[in-house]
Amino acid sequence: MNNYLQYEGKTAVVTGAASGIGRATAQRLVELGAEVHAIDHAPTELPGLASATRANLAIRDDIDRAFAVLPEHIDTFFGVAGVSGLQHDHNTTLLINFGSYKYISKTYLETRMGDGGAIAYVSSVGGVNWERYQEELEGLIQADGWDTIVRTIEGLGLQDQPGPAAYALSKRLLNLFMAHSATQLAGRGIRVNAVLPTNTETGLTPDFAVMRGGRDLLEANAGLNNRLAVPEEMADPLVFLNSHAARYVSGQPLVVDFGARNLQLLGRKEDRLDCPLIAGAQTARS
């Protein structure tokens, strides 16, 4: 059987590799023969890794130190790490879930990737409908450089809002940034995509249960199979999107929810994902 994924010998970087979807992604890549470099704020213990670096994505110096020890050429990047907002303030949630990835892409990935390079981000079904808010989000998308990103986030004036209020906004920003990046990097042969997971059994599940009214509601609103996904069910689509098999796929926000989104699209369920959490982005436009 042909090896359609073609990861042997490829250099892959995975954030959030210590647990959950990031760990499952790194494990798959090791099994497929990639040279896997892990980045996480926690220790990453996974056999077969080429390296594991601890870094807090809310701290620029940590990111810079991590990339200083990574290879000069990167074939594939998996931006998996993220936070719910329950344990972080509003601005830090935006910085980790969106700002850090824009900084990483512009500062490192675009200079270390060439033709055939691939980037995949983990967003969320909470970030759907991002295309409706392009004008509101444009100021944050255009912010260039760490200091400017931080100042633009601070300029929203939402630092007193709870961290969870930033979650959907951060994921919509990440989706829009993915679309911008896919367009800008297409001429260099670099693909950019995102997976939008439904509720998945990870270390953040207790946070989301608190934020959304209990585990029963998480399960009921996960997929049409009425259960939470497991990390491997999100890792496998991620690995596919960055593989040779998906070499003509770019700019895609892939919803992975066992068909649940169709209930809103078919008008059979209220589209509660189009929620007022975007209010912060509206402030950015004014």
Side-chain angles (χ1 to χ4, degrees):
M1 180 177 177
N2 290 328
N3 178 8
Y4 296 107
L5 300 181
Q6 296 188 18
Y7 274 107
E8 291 95 339
K10 297 290 181 67
T11 301
V13 177
V14 184
T15 70
S19 63
I21 297 171
R23 181 180 178 85
T25 300
Q27 178 68 62
R28 285 283 191 264
L29 293 168
V30 169
E31 294 168 353
L32 290 166
E35 177 188 311
V36 184
H37 299 267
I39 299 175
D40 201 296
H41 74 283
T44 303
E45 299 178 0
L46 183 66
L49 290 177
S51 73
T53 304
R54 297 185 66 174
N56 182 342
L57 295 187
I59 301 173
R60 174 175 53 186
D61 287 349
D62 271 23
I63 296 172
D64 291 342
R65 280 194 293 269
F67 276 85
V69 299
L70 290 177
E72 283 303 309
H73 178 78
I74 296 172
D75 294 297
T76 61
F77 177 82
F78 299 81
V80 184
V83 297
S84 68
L86 195 64
Q87 311 299 330
H88 296 80
D89 61 48
H90 188 282
N91 288 1
T92 302
T93 300
L94 283 181
L95 186 59
I96 292 173
N97 289 356
F98 159 69
S100 66
Y101 288 121
K102 173 155 193 194
Y103 176 74
I104 287 170
S105 179
K106 293 296 183 182
T107 307
Y108 295 108
L109 301 183
E110 293 184 18
T111 60
R112 297 191 188 186
M113 282 187 167
D115 188 18
I119 300 167
Y121 297 112
V122 169
S123 178
S124 168
V125 293
V128 300
N129 299 328
W130 55 272
E131 66 278 5
R132 301 180 187 177
Y133 302 101
Q134 295 182 56
E135 184 179 353
E136 288 88 344
L137 300 176
E138 196 65 25
L140 282 162
I141 292 297
Q142 295 303 322
D144 196 17
W146 185 270
D147 291 338
T148 303
I149 292 169
V150 170
R151 284 196 302 269
T152 305
I153 290 173
E154 292 173 347
L156 296 175
L158 298 173
Q159 61 273 8
D160 294 330
Q161 295 296 312
Y167 182 78
L169 173 56
S170 71
K171 295 302 185 177
R172 285 180 177 145
L173 280 164
L174 187 58
N175 290 335
L176 181 57
F177 176 63
M178 176 276 297
H180 274 266
S181 295
T183 302
Q184 294 165 358
L185 298 177
R188 294 181 52 198
I190 300 173
R191 300 182 299 106
V192 190
N193 292 288
V195 163
L196 282 59
T198 189
N199 301 320
T200 303
E201 192 73 71
T202 71
L204 292 179
T205 299
D207 284 5
F208 290 124
V210 171
M211 291 162 57
R212 297 176 186 175
R215 184 183 174 95
D216 289 348
L217 287 177
L218 286 185
E219 293 175 351
N221 290 283
L224 295 183
N225 53 357
N226 294 315
R227 68 166 174 83
L228 298 184
V230 297
E232 290 77 12
E233 290 170 322
M234 301 300 150
D236 289 344
L238 273 173
V239 170
F240 165 73
L241 284 175
N242 269 0
S243 77
H244 177 75
R247 59 193 177 277
Y248 210 75
V249 179
S250 192
Q252 292 302 307
L254 178 62
V255 175
V256 185
D257 68 349
F258 209 89
R261 177 64 175 152
N262 288 315
L263 295 178
Q264 285 86 27
L265 297 175
L266 294 171
R268 299 179 185 178
K269 188 174 183 180
E270 181 184 357
D271 191 353
R272 303 179 76 178
L273 294 172
D274 195 11
C275 59
L277 294 182
I278 201 65
Q282 293 170 346
T283 304
R285 182 179 60 173
S286 62

